[in-house]
Amino acid sequence: MKNAQLAGHLAGAGAYAIFGLNIIICKDIALADVISPIALFTLRAAGASTLFWLLSLLLPKEKMPLSDILKTGLASFLGLFVPQLTFLSAIRITTSIDTALFTSLTPIWTMFVAAIFLREPISWKKVSGVALSFTGAIILIFNSVHEGGASTTSPLGLALLLLNTLSFALYLGIFRPLISRYSVVTFMKWSFLWSLAISIPLSVKDLLHTDFAAISPQIGAEIGFLIVFATCIAYFLIPFAQKRIRPTIVSLYSYLQPLIACAVSVMIGMDVFTWQKAVSTLCVFAGVWLVNKSRAAAR
């Protein structure tokens, strides 16, 4: 049991570490303005769908009844299509600091969604842990250099970011029982097939009008990272973690995103490490530890 939980923690941390790099890379792709958000999402869905279906051929066959396939379609819509598309769209019309602030709301929404749909109790220890990690993330956000976003945030950008966080919180909080019934590969192959089916009718025009020859080698490599790491690997790790630890704990690892972005900025000389950043890092991990120790997380 402890080994399974450790694997879940490592998977959650790994996924959100990748997402932290993904924020920086998505900003770069958005600024290049060579491919639309829906076209980029379709490429991600196509790449991940192909990979997971090929992997499933190498593993024991696992049949999913039609009712669960339909539920997986809803999970795909809430956990893949809406979050990815809204983020790729919002990052073009929001400032870096507003993007970071709004994405920090996901664990708070997830705690309430898990309480409603999974009857996961909201204990004082859990509330304190979420609040502590949230405080750490906010300290870090306001004490870091923010570049690469829009000069101002539009109301549409805020609405997209809010939809992004709510949708992914619903995915984390509702579908744990469904995910627990199947292997991660089986669940993800159907999830990405649904996402591909949803996105193709919306992206055909953009894909046909995308000048792929104009995409620079650097942007091409970043799109490759997006498909392989931020889609295939990260979205494999999320349900892997969901099967082993509670939704609120999985979502708390989202606070690794500003930590990773800050660490990269420090390494490339865009930012400096300060005592405020050290305190914020301690707050984030102390909050995760506190939620993990709550009675609700132990069930």
Side-chain angles (χ1 to χ4, degrees):
M1 183 66 177
K2 286 186 177 180
N3 288 338
Q5 288 184 343
L6 176 61
H9 283 288
L10 292 174
Y16 280 107
I18 293 173
F19 288 152
L21 293 173
N22 182 52
I23 291 175
I24 299 171
I25 288 171
C26 281
K27 287 177 184 175
D28 207 29
I29 296 172
L31 288 173
D33 199 26
V34 292
I35 186 169
S36 70
I38 185 63
L40 183 56
F41 174 81
T42 301
L43 293 181
R44 296 176 71 176
S49 180
T50 300
L51 177 64
F52 282 115
W53 277 91
L54 288 175
L55 280 175
S56 70
L57 297 177
L58 304 176
L59 300 173
K61 289 186 178 180
E62 191 173 21
K63 189 174 181 180
M64 184 181 286
L66 179 60
S67 59
D68 281 355
I69 290 176
L70 295 176
K71 291 176 184 175
T72 302
L74 179 58
S76 173
F77 182 76
L78 291 175
L80 299 177
F81 182 77
V82 173
Q84 288 191 23
L85 187 58
T86 52
F87 181 79
L88 291 171
S89 300
I91 205 167
R92 296 167 174 246
I93 52 177
T94 56
T95 64
S96 297
I97 195 166
D98 286 340
T99 301
L101 286 172
F102 265 76
T103 53
S104 297
L105 295 174
T106 301
I108 298 173
W109 303 142
T110 303
M111 180 173 62
F112 288 111
V113 170
I116 295 169
F117 291 96
L118 298 180
R119 300 182 183 277
E120 186 177 310
I122 300 178
S123 64
W124 282 110
K125 191 176 287 187
K126 181 180 292 185
V127 171
S128 300
V130 171
L132 186 59
S133 289
F134 179 73
T135 300
I138 297 304
I139 292 172
L140 182 64
I141 290 166
F142 280 104
N143 285 277
S144 298
V145 174
H146 301 281
E147 295 184 6
S151 57
T152 58
T153 294
S154 73
L156 176 60
L158 293 179
L160 288 171
L161 288 175
L162 181 60
L163 182 58
N164 171 279
T165 57
L166 286 172
S167 181
F168 202 65
L170 286 169
Y171 167 71
L172 290 175
I174 293 175
F175 292 102
R176 188 178 189 237
L178 175 65
I179 293 169
S180 298
R181 290 201 288 270
Y182 303 99
S183 69
V184 175
V185 170
T186 296
F187 181 75
M188 294 315 296
K189 76 175 186 179
W190 283 108
S191 293
F192 277 108
L193 186 62
W194 272 109
S195 290
L196 184 60
I198 295 169
S199 66
I200 284 178
L202 303 173
S203 64
V204 169
K205 184 178 178 180
D206 283 9
L207 285 169
L208 291 175
H209 288 87
T210 299
D211 185 3
F212 288 99
I215 297 176
S216 68
Q218 178 184 334
I219 296 299
E222 290 175 347
I223 291 174
F225 175 91
L226 212 59
I227 293 172
V228 176
F229 289 93
T231 307
C232 297
I233 295 178
Y235 279 93
F236 173 89
L237 293 174
I238 289 292
F240 183 91
Q242 282 178 280
K243 289 164 70 77
R244 291 160 177 81
I245 56 178
R246 289 284 177 174
T248 305
I249 301 176
V250 175
S251 66
L252 273 181
Y253 280 110
S254 67
Y255 292 138
L256 283 178
Q257 293 177 91
L259 292 179
I260 295 296
C262 176
V264 171
S265 296
V266 170
M267 285 190 290
I268 63 178
M270 289 176 59
D271 204 349
V272 293
F273 190 75
T274 62
W275 68 267
Q276 292 97 332
K277 293 181 178 66
V279 170
S280 67
T281 301
L282 289 174
C283 286
V284 168
F285 285 103
V288 173
W289 176 82
L290 197 57
V291 173
N292 190 51
K293 288 293 182 181
S294 70
R295 291 179 59 191
R299 294 183 181 182

